[in-house]
Amino acid sequence: MTPPRAEPRDSADVAVELRGITKRFPGTLANDSVDLTVRRGEIHALMGENGAGKSTLMSVLYGMERPDAGTIRIEGRDVTFGSPSDAMAAGLGMVHQSFKLFDSLTVAENVVYAAEPRRFGLLDRAAARLRVRELAEEHGLAVDPDARVGELPVGLRQRVEILKLLHRGARTLILDEPTAVLTPSEADALFAVLKSLAAEGRTVILVTHKLREVLEGSDNVTVLRDGRVVARLVTAETSADEIAAAMTGRAVELDRIHAPGTPADVVLEVSGLATPGVHEAQLTVRAGEIVGIAGVAGNGQSELVEALAGLRPVTSGRVALKGDDITHASATERRLKGLAYVPEDRHAVGTAPAASVADNLAMGHHRTSLSHRGLLPPASVRAHARRLIERFGIKAPTPDTRASALSGGNLQKLLIGRELAHDAPLLLVEQPTRGVDIGAIQNIHDQLIAYRDAGHAVLLVSAELSEIRGLADRVLVMYEGRITAAYDKSAADERTLGLAMAGGTSERVEAAD
């Protein structure tokens, strides 16, 4: 696909203009002569598969990376940024995937940090609180200025990040995967705020993988593939299929509902399980089936899975894996008995970012298939890594690359690939495609279905209802720490699940064990 030439624009109408941006890293051409024009007052979506160059391009724009070639113009003026501070001084602000907040400080203290109102040379706390209240009211970002950030849910933390940018006078806001950790209702609230900011004349550059959000919330779309611009689209004139094809270079089947599996013997049996945040959970998962858990974030799904994985103590009840009582077994013992686990937090729990890709892919295998007389032969570790890199399409220059150098989506592919390679009877998987591009989502879904069809049991937690409906043979709904409803695949339509997730009453369909 050949991208159309960028339309000439009145320079007074242009907020951001990138021309010929090229950025190389060892072994990788991340950006290849990229052009991007963003108008004032628009929400401009930047899309592409993991490793397409989106984050690198935004890092160049925000002064975190120096381009090897190309120019940057902000509001008609040529600029050269040596740091994010330079970009902020020019009216740019960025909200990263990993928030840059101080958990021990209040909302007001975080918002005004390094740009504090002062009185007699000291922080004027009253003025700081007033400033946050005024900004929050003006932009519909309700949050308590005196709340400790570490005690806030993720949706409110994101509001704090946006308030930080507005306090510093940002006229162009860059948001990197802003809804990756938000519930659907929180995402809707965020887009209402972004549209309000755009209506005021501010500019929003949105880096995301989510087609629905792009189609509903943006004005224009630029698509990158392999470091190059492959499409420039007007949102009102395009479709999900066209964007997906531009991102991947092929037709992609979206929101596919997979055929049901063939359940066999019970692999996981949970009865009366209680742990902080979970009350009297009862469920089974059989070989050859995927059981999905739906629920609004914070209703006990994560706590339940952590208890099953051995990361959270069980206060009462019983957990059995293939008939063996593992209620109080350690996480290591559970893995040796046949449990694999893809946690929600791929950075803090799922991987070791400072270690190499090869070492991360070896984790868990180091006690079994890769061990030779108690040693780990480096050649075997690298060969194992190369096999999984190819199988799961992990974009890494070499197996020796640090995991921290991977994009979020490629780190997720690494985590999924490592756990599936264990070939364990039971797979616990949380948010398997969070932050992952469209093509990789399809691949991960296919891998999970193949894992099920090979006779394994899968317990799936996802915030994406389309993912639950597409993959799960049975769906359980959690509300306020309890499993409140169970549905067979045929009955798990979006309206029914949404009502149950909100705690409403609905016709309950008993899912066969």
Side-chain angles (χ1 to χ4, degrees):
M1 181 182 295
T2 302
R5 293 177 59 85
E7 298 178 8
R9 303 184 188 276
D10 179 352
S11 61
D13 185 45
V14 174
V16 173
E17 187 174 15
L18 305 180
R19 286 288 174 262
I21 297 296
T22 297
K23 180 63 182 178
R24 295 178 177 85
F25 296 103
T28 303
L29 179 57
N31 292 144
D32 186 2
S33 299
V34 174
D35 294 343
L36 176 68
T37 301
V38 184
R39 298 195 310 269
R40 280 199 181 105
E42 78 164 318
I43 300 177
H44 195 111
L46 182 63
M47 302 195 74
E49 293 191 283
N50 299 124
K54 309 181 299 299
S55 293
T56 299
L57 187 66
M58 292 300 96
S59 294
V60 167
L61 174 58
Y62 199 53
M64 294 185 291
E65 298 283 355
R66 297 292 294 271
D68 298 314
T71 59
I72 301 173
R73 290 175 65 84
I74 303 297
E75 298 173 348
R77 181 170 57 89
D78 286 346
V79 297
T80 299
F81 296 148
S83 69
S85 296
D86 295 341
M88 285 187 277
L92 302 183
M94 186 169 183
V95 178
H96 302 267
Q97 288 189 53
S98 300
F99 299 153
K100 311 296 184 183
L101 298 171
F102 299 101
D103 287 351
S104 61
L105 300 183
T106 67
V107 168
E109 289 166 342
N110 269 277
V111 170
V112 303
Y113 180 76
E116 300 93 340
R118 293 188 174 274
R119 181 179 174 83
F120 305 122
L122 301 174
L123 168 64
D124 188 338
R125 297 182 184 278
R129 288 195 294 271
L130 178 61
R131 172 63 172 159
V132 172
R133 286 196 183 95
E134 290 174 344
L135 281 174
E137 184 175 345
E138 179 183 356
H139 299 289
L141 291 163
V143 62
D144 180 3
D146 296 317
R148 294 285 170 187
V149 164
E151 299 172 0
L152 295 178
V154 68
L156 292 184
R157 292 188 190 198
Q158 189 173 69
R159 292 185 180 188
V160 177
E161 285 280 21
I162 295 173
L163 287 169
K164 279 172 54 180
L165 304 187
L166 297 177
H167 171 64
R168 287 159 177 74
R171 298 180 295 279
T172 295
L173 283 70
I174 305 165
L175 287 86
D176 191 3
E177 299 290 352
T179 64
V181 294
L182 300 185
T183 65
S185 60
E186 287 173 332
D188 291 342
L190 171 65
F191 271 88
V193 169
L194 297 183
K195 289 178 180 179
S196 175
L197 292 173
E200 297 169 5
R202 286 186 170 84
T203 302
V204 177
I205 302 176
L206 182 69
V207 181
T208 181
H209 294 105
K210 297 187 178 182
L211 288 170
R212 180 185 68 83
E213 294 173 355
V214 168
L215 292 171
E216 294 178 2
S218 73
D219 301 298
N220 293 282
V221 183
T222 296
V223 181
L224 296 181
R225 188 167 75 241
D226 296 329
R228 296 182 178 182
V229 175
V230 294
R232 297 186 182 93
L233 305 166
V234 177
T235 306
E237 300 172 1
T238 190
S239 66
D241 289 336
E242 183 178 16
I243 296 173
M247 289 172 62
T248 63
R250 64 183 188 279
V252 176
E253 188 177 355
L254 302 171
D255 296 332
R256 178 167 36 149
I257 304 294
H258 290 268
T262 306
D265 296 335
V266 171
V267 173
L268 175 68
E269 185 172 12
V270 180
S271 55
L273 184 146
T275 188
V278 179
H279 313 288
E280 298 296 317
Q282 188 145 334
L283 65 97
T284 59
V285 187
R286 296 176 178 271
E289 76 168 344
I290 297 176
V291 174
I293 297 181
V296 176
N299 277 274
Q301 308 96 303
S302 294
E303 290 84 351
L304 173 61
V305 174
E306 287 176 2
L308 297 178
L311 301 181
R312 177 180 288 262
V314 173
T315 55
S316 64
R318 183 175 184 271
V319 181
L321 177 58
K322 299 193 74 173
D324 290 340
D325 190 333
I326 61 167
T327 308
H328 302 293
S330 68
T332 299
E333 290 168 338
R334 293 174 196 231
R335 182 177 287 283
L336 292 173
K337 286 180 177 292
L339 183 150
Y341 175 42
V342 176
E344 177 178 5
D345 190 336
R346 58 185 173 235
H347 295 281
V349 181
T351 60
S356 69
V357 168
D359 286 345
N360 272 275
L361 288 170
M363 290 176 182
H365 299 274
H366 64 285
R367 294 188 181 92
T368 55
S369 59
L370 294 180
S371 178
H372 180 69
R373 296 179 181 177
L375 300 176
L376 285 177
S380 298
V381 171
R382 283 194 292 272
H384 172 77
R386 283 192 289 268
R387 287 193 298 271
L388 295 188
I389 287 170
E390 181 177 358
R391 175 180 168 186
F392 291 93
I394 303 166
K395 290 188 177 179
T398 73
D400 297 322
T401 301
R402 280 193 175 191
S404 59
L406 301 185
S407 67
N410 277 297
L411 195 62
Q412 184 72 1
K413 293 180 194 177
L414 180 156
L415 179 54
I416 293 278
R418 183 188 73 208
E419 295 305 301
L420 289 183
H422 283 291
D423 204 32
L426 173 66
L427 174 68
L428 307 178
V429 55
E430 295 184 274
Q431 316 301 342
T433 57
R434 176 171 283 172
V436 174
D437 62 69
I438 295 164
I441 287 173
Q442 187 176 45
N443 178 264
I444 289 172
H445 285 181
D446 289 344
Q447 294 279 357
L448 290 173
I449 291 296
Y451 199 74
R452 176 201 71 181
D453 291 346
H456 302 89
V458 180
L459 183 64
L460 165 71
V461 175
S462 176
E464 302 292 338
L465 275 185
S466 60
E467 185 162 69
I468 291 283
R469 295 183 62 238
L471 294 176
D473 300 296
R474 292 186 290 125
V475 181
L476 310 178
V477 177
M478 290 196 72
Y479 179 71
E480 294 185 345
R482 299 181 185 277
I483 296 175
T484 57
Y487 302 96
D488 286 319
K489 190 180 191 74
S490 60
D493 61 82
E494 192 161 331
R495 179 184 176 280
T496 299
L497 293 178
L499 186 62
M501 289 166 60
T505 57
S506 180
E507 180 183 357
R508 181 181 170 102
V509 179
E510 293 295 340
D513 285 339

